[in-house]
Amino acid sequence: MLERSDVPPSLIAAAAANFAVVRAHSVALAAPLSDEDCAAQSMPDASPAKWHLAHTTWFFETFILERFEPGFAPFHQAFRVLFNSYYNGVGEKHPRAERGFLTRPSRQMVADYRADVDARMARLLAADLAPAVASELASLVELGLHHEQQHQELLLTDVLHLLSRSPLYPAYDEGFAAPVASPAPGWRGFEAGVVEIGHKGGGFCFDNELPRHRQFVEAYELATGLVTNADYAAFIAAGGYEEPSYWLSEGWAWVQARKIRHPLYWVEGAGGWQEFSPAGLRALGPARPVLHVSYFEACAYAQFAGARLPTEAEWEHAATIAPLPQMFGVAWQWTSSSYAPYPGFAAAPGALGEYNGKFMVNQYVLRGSSLATPAGHVRATYRNFFPTDTRWQFTGIRLAR
Amino acid sequence: MLERSDVPPSLIAAAAANFAVVRAHSVALAAPLSDEDCAAQSMPDASPAKWHLAHTTWFFETFILERFEPGFAPFHQAFRVLFNSYYNGVGEKHPRAERGFLTRPSRQMVADYRADVDARMARLLAADLAPAVASELASLVELGLHHEQQHQELLLTDVLHLLSRSPLYPAYDEGFAAPVASPAPGWRGFEAGVVEIGHKGGGFCFDNELPRHRQFVEAYELATGLVTNADYAAFIAAGGYEEPSYWLSEGWAWVQARKIRHPLYWVEGAGGWQEFSPAGLRALGPARPVLHVSYFEACAYAQFAGARLPTEAEWEHAATIAPLPQMFGVAWQWTSSSYAPYPGFAAAPGALGEYNGKFMVNQYVLRGSSLATPAGHVRATYRNFFPTDTRWQFTGIRLAR
Amino acid sequence: MLERSDVPPSLIAAAAANFAVVRAHSVALAAPLSDEDCAAQSMPDASPAKWHLAHTTWFFETFILERFEPGFAPFHQAFRVLFNSYYNGVGEKHPRAERGFLTRPSRQMVADYRADVDARMARLLAADLAPAVASELASLVELGLHHEQQHQELLLTDVLHLLSRSPLYPAYDEGFAAPVASPAPGWRGFEAGVVEIGHKGGGFCFDNELPRHRQFVEAYELATGLVTNADYAAFIAAGGYEEPSYWLSEGWAWVQARKIRHPLYWVEGAGGWQEFSPAGLRALGPARPVLHVSYFEACAYAQFAGARLPTEAEWEHAATIAPLPQMFGVAWQWTSSSYAPYPGFAAAPGALGEYNGKFMVNQYVLRGSSLATPAGHVRATYRNFFPTDTRWQFTGIRLAR
Amino acid sequence: MLERSDVPPSLIAAAAANFAVVRAHSVALAAPLSDEDCAAQSMPDASPAKWHLAHTTWFFETFILERFEPGFAPFHQAFRVLFNSYYNGVGEKHPRAERGFLTRPSRQMVADYRADVDARMARLLAADLAPAVASELASLVELGLHHEQQHQELLLTDVLHLLSRSPLYPAYDEGFAAPVASPAPGWRGFEAGVVEIGHKGGGFCFDNELPRHRQFVEAYELATGLVTNADYAAFIAAGGYEEPSYWLSEGWAWVQARKIRHPLYWVEGAGGWQEFSPAGLRALGPARPVLHVSYFEACAYAQFAGARLPTEAEWEHAATIAPLPQMFGVAWQWTSSSYAPYPGFAAAPGALGEYNGKFMVNQYVLRGSSLATPAGHVRATYRNFFPTDTRWQFTGIRLAR
């Protein structure tokens, strides 16, 4: 998870300012939630909001304060284990599926933890630091804030999953904006050739976006917009979930075993399909993009539509030379690319190096960003990744051919 | 779950008074808990405190108000499903393992629900009722209150299990009294003969305590007290969990698969064994009774000690003619009796009849009562029952031979 | 598994003769089977026929030859582990679910193993033995032969299960006789009182039939015959498998999870129900007893019929004083008695003592015997036992009330 | 599974000749096996040898005889379901995990099935056919024979797995040759550039090898030989299975959950490591290539060795321009390429089209061929593929950097 941007020592003040803004945004995201909402965990893949608030704080305490703060003493001894996510290098972890059992420490205690670490971080960043230390510190702060922004999106998707399990279908925020409608159907063509993908430098990126390198792509077309709810409803109406020939073999087994019949948050009502969203349950907007579909569903729909999913190289190349509507800010777009290291990829040494490389198997890359991605956390080179049956993220479909 | 006592119509006022007392006790039990504590569920067998508070209310709304209240309208339409435990006759149920996902309705809304039903019950019980109606109503109220008392014990055991999963080992109530020490070892003998067991009438009982009937018991001895922590620690020290000959075959498989090495809430510390309790983590009291053991462990210990568990007829006969120390108020005592209908047992018709009969398989009877059993909920004929691997209840061991 | 009969030393010749007869019967049972049939295992609860043939031989080699044969050397070193069933006292065991992977040793090698042990046993029994040794040896031989007879019944039920998994529905033996039809419906009454059950001595019994002891039974009636296929088909036609009120709670969960809709070997064909049997697939005989039902199904049927299952004391008392049709030789009859030690029960010391006591939990007693029980292995005091979902044995239903 | 070679009608005679040779080889492979060996299935991923013999026959009966044979009648009606592997387009399938329960049909009956289909195929291929029909028929025969060759390799790997489960470690064939030793360590370099991979035409290939297309590869080096047993033993000795930093996250979970400590067929003996092979148990040859490792193990070893796995483009490019030792005939070599369609890939229509495309998810490509791959089934463009935890195939490791 080493970031690679060059941070002049003078930027330490900027880091401190950014720190305050990003940290405050996490708290704001949890504001509509009750203490109960913050503590519950509705599946092992999701985490309680309280856990996100604590774990992002743990990151600063463990990877920055522990190293740079004079006379460091942890806020609470047990938190080192409790709020470690998956860093084997740091030591033991609390079992992931049991995060919802941690009603203690309380939400208030976690708020105190955040305030304490924030104050210590502010002191540290205001201190008189040697230039080399300041530079490294600024880099680590930037990394920690990007890490926190990832958890901001997860916090929202995890809360949405939790609220979806209550038959009351409570809204997270009734005023939460719906995604924009897709444009009229259309395709944009791109020529074959050797293209460059990966981060160019000049700004932050994660290690998995490096190194920039060449790939050969054949000529291809990308859909100008995302597949809509109306498109997907037609797939369902045509028996899409009952016809094995549309599905990957493993996808078909998943559909059968889990009795999947529609996107995760679609609810069949007397008046037709509804969808659950951060704004609560609402009628399905036919022109809005379909959300919360798995890689299996995305592939099956593409097969049904006589198309395919783009590769990540195709997507990034297009995003660079001729961006299309809905590439960012609506839904993460499944690509057909298995998540793998770029040629010449090197993970960072130490615990921080566990971040990306070890997940590079049996996951697929998603590109773009979603309506839940924080501002300042969006790049054409960004590589999101999830297993093939994941649906609780804001995932959608852009076709290629 | 039909109760069988005769309730003269004049007792309706007593029922109303008792109603207020028992209902208030449930609220008092939840008072030390935060909203987060009340909402979490740490295993499928346990339920959130909030769920207990709502379900016991649902019982009165569904089985009494719905039938007797003029112009009945439910407090909330969805609660009929949400807070049904296992009554198939009432209709659908929310999945048991997902009770912890119900952060909505909130704790406050459940408090409102309790207040609303309490007020409506008070109005109903104060109304001018025909004698037959009043009599039936008083019976149902009595049943509902005994049902609530069962859930009061479960609320405490479920909360204890939840708190045990936090590495902070938070106390439910630091002043919660420890169980009394066991008496010096000793045996009391009883003669062989035909004995009568089961409820005699004259007061409330559950249907599974009826009918009173005869059984033949051979001569036997019961231990005067419960097996102590020191006794049980000796079993562990002697390799009790490593020696298959002490264990039932199924118990041995359970020990191996679950890596069981000590009672549920024992914690090995630097200074020796500790135990987690409602008062928090404390040093193990050697003379106090061992708690939180399964039927498998109780049998293995008995085998190790050259004794056996009593049958429920032996236990009840002794409790009737010559009660021994610690029979009540400390720990439920495993018996070797599989939970089965008494000769001539008849379940009540309708949904209430689902209460006891349908669980009469693959469970074992526990007798007595525990430190968590509410006053007024204790009888020598009471038949508690749990599966053989259950440990989160306040269960202990009394030997027989 | 200590047997309790008194065997005068003069009976050693009788033991030798009996040995030859019983051992030959096992081989005869496997005669209709191909090598492939003998090696396969269709579920963990069942064992390959070849395994039964070897394990029963292992019993004599391990518990008799190893102890009494001068200069004992095992037929094959690996067999001690391979053909141990569940005797922890003997040492390691081959994983039960993997018995079907043992294509080596071959069937022929197992036949050689039988021949070798038979010859050595014959030599041992013909030797000049001290009276005390002869007496103990005769007892152990008797025990080993009863053990083998148990496996003879299992061999047949296991093979039937295997053959049932082939869509060709091959017959084990086309001439295998169908069970006799049930008599006309009727009840026989018995008076209340203290009765004695358990083995009286004078002949072989297993340790679980001892000691003979007193029980009090209320007045009861037993059905004169077994529940028929026509009776059971009426239960199905009446929606028996869809109505939870007939079922124990655990039984209802089993029906739902496993999608149980009829007895194990019933097959719905164009012309109505058929049943698979040792004679192959045949039309369901309406007057023949229903076979291959679980305890759950037996209880649900009894509930549907307004009756109940008998206790084992009721069954044995009736069998002793006024035997009814179909008590023996047709189907094992589920009782409502959980399998538990008789008052005063003592398991034998050593590995042989593992036989019965350690299974006394979460199983139910079946009484009588079935069409697959070998002659000479039938007693009114015999206690068979299986878990509540067992169906591949020849199990049936006799009602009580 | 459409093959793409051009088969002039005159080649029908060649097809017939090839048919006889390939079909006879399957029978020869099963010759060392007993009937028991042929019927057993030691895990769901493997199939009984008898099933392979029948399924490959089913392929010719279903996809050729049913379409081309005048007056077609199936050999046995039930075989259409019994011996269908995964072709949803053909209809129902027998459950994969229950293939070992099919002791009937017997091995002899399957031999009769093979003889019958072979005779009918011979008649068909000798008939007077229209040129277009002859051409299509020759193509389908070629496809069917390549399909059968795939099953020949599986037959051997499946039998090896079965025999490995017997503690007797029986040899499949004591004279079976061990793999050749690896050459001295070394690397061969290749330049960066656009390369072409995929089948060129002119001979048979599977649909997944098409279309031939361009890829850009950076400069790389390939190891001249395969990782040896000595290399891999050093990894184990260095604690490779205990150090999470070598492992992909999912691989580490697999190692922990399954307690993996060495390659599948390594056995620790008194004198050091041994390995089970078709020739039986033998001492581990230090210079021989390590076999039977998963993708997870291959990646972990590469990480340990400071190298990586090659991509399939790197491997194929090298194999085309400068073949290295042990590329073919020893062990399938894991690549880092997720199994995915080539740009422009199109699956064939109909049931035969199910062959490859639907497996293109969560599997990794292996290149080369193994000591069990039949002659005539080896190509530089061949794409084998298995899930990341697969070990029972003859899989090995070639490093890249």
Side-chain angles (χ1 to χ4, degrees), chain D residues 112-388:
Chain D
D112 294 345
Y113 180 36
R114 287 187 72 90
D116 181 74
V117 167
D118 285 356
R120 289 152 67 197
M121 283 293 297
R123 271 198 300 278
L124 177 63
L125 295 174
D128 192 21
L129 299 164
V133 169
S135 173
E136 186 177 3
L137 195 50
S139 286
L140 285 170
V141 167
E142 189 176 36
L143 177 63
L145 294 178
H146 279 279
H147 171 259
E148 182 141 356
Q149 287 178 311
Q150 291 183 307
H151 280 277
Q152 286 168 355
E153 178 152 4
L154 291 171
L155 188 156
L156 190 58
T157 56
D158 293 356
V159 159
L160 186 63
H161 187 264
L162 170 66
L163 296 177
S164 78
R165 306 311 294 260
S166 168
L168 308 183
Y169 289 116
Y172 162 75
D173 171 4
E174 289 181 6
F176 200 97
V180 295
S182 292
W187 298 89
R188 172 82 59 86
F190 299 88
E191 290 176 12
V194 172
V195 304
E196 285 207 347
I197 67 166
H199 198 261
K200 279 180 181 170
F204 176 85
C205 74
F206 285 116
D207 59 359
N208 64 6
E209 299 168 54
L210 295 171
R212 188 163 174 85
H213 65 286
R214 291 165 287 181
Q215 286 204 16
F216 186 88
V217 294
E218 304 281 354
Y220 65 102
E221 292 183 321
L222 279 193
T224 46
L226 301 184
V227 169
T228 66
N229 284 325
D231 296 334
Y232 202 86
F235 168 65
I236 296 177
Y241 284 95
E242 285 88 47
E243 173 48 51
S245 70
Y246 297 139
W247 296 84
L248 290 163
S249 179
E250 200 177 303
W252 183 244
W254 171 77
V255 161
Q256 300 293 99
R258 304 278 301 274
K259 298 190 173 63
I260 306 289
R261 294 294 174 263
H262 51 71
L264 179 58
Y265 294 136
W266 285 27
V267 177
E268 199 149 21
W273 289 113
Q274 297 177 285
E275 66 176 344
F276 184 63
S277 75
L281 200 60
R282 64 180 171 214
L284 196 67
R288 287 202 297 258
V290 64
L291 296 175
H292 303 294
V293 289
S294 70
Y295 179 77
F296 293 133
E297 288 167 303
C299 287
Y301 179 81
Q303 182 80 3
F304 165 80
R308 60 173 176 85
L309 302 182
T311 65
E312 60 171 329
E314 290 170 341
W315 195 100
E316 183 173 329
H317 178 59
T320 310
I321 68 165
L324 298 166
Q326 295 179 318
M327 277 191 140
F328 300 100
V330 180
W332 290 98
Q333 294 144 61
W334 285 108
T335 75
S336 64
S337 300
S338 177
Y339 183 45
Y342 281 169
F345 168 76
L352 282 168
E354 293 183 37
Y355 185 71
N356 269 311
K358 73 179 184 181
F359 296 114
M360 291 177 170
V361 65
N362 292 339
Q363 309 216 36
Y364 284 76
V365 174
L366 299 111
R367 290 304 195 102
S369 66
S370 88
L371 50 85
T373 313
H377 196 69
V378 176
R379 291 184 295 284
T381 57
Y382 199 102
R383 305 176 78 199
N384 201 352
F385 53 91
F386 278 96
T388 47

Side-chain angles (χ1 to χ4, degrees), chain C residues 10 22 27 50-51 67 87 93 101 108 110 121 130 143 160 177 220 298-299 306 316 318 351 364 371 385 392:
Chain C
S10 65
V22 171
V27 175
K50 185 171 74 177
W51 189 91
R67 209 172 126 206
Y87 296 86
K93 295 158 287 181
F101 304 165
Q108 183 56 52
V110 167
M121 283 293 297
L143 177 61
L160 186 61
Y220 65 104
C299 287
E316 181 171 331
Y364 283 76
L371 49 86
F385 53 91
W392 94 106

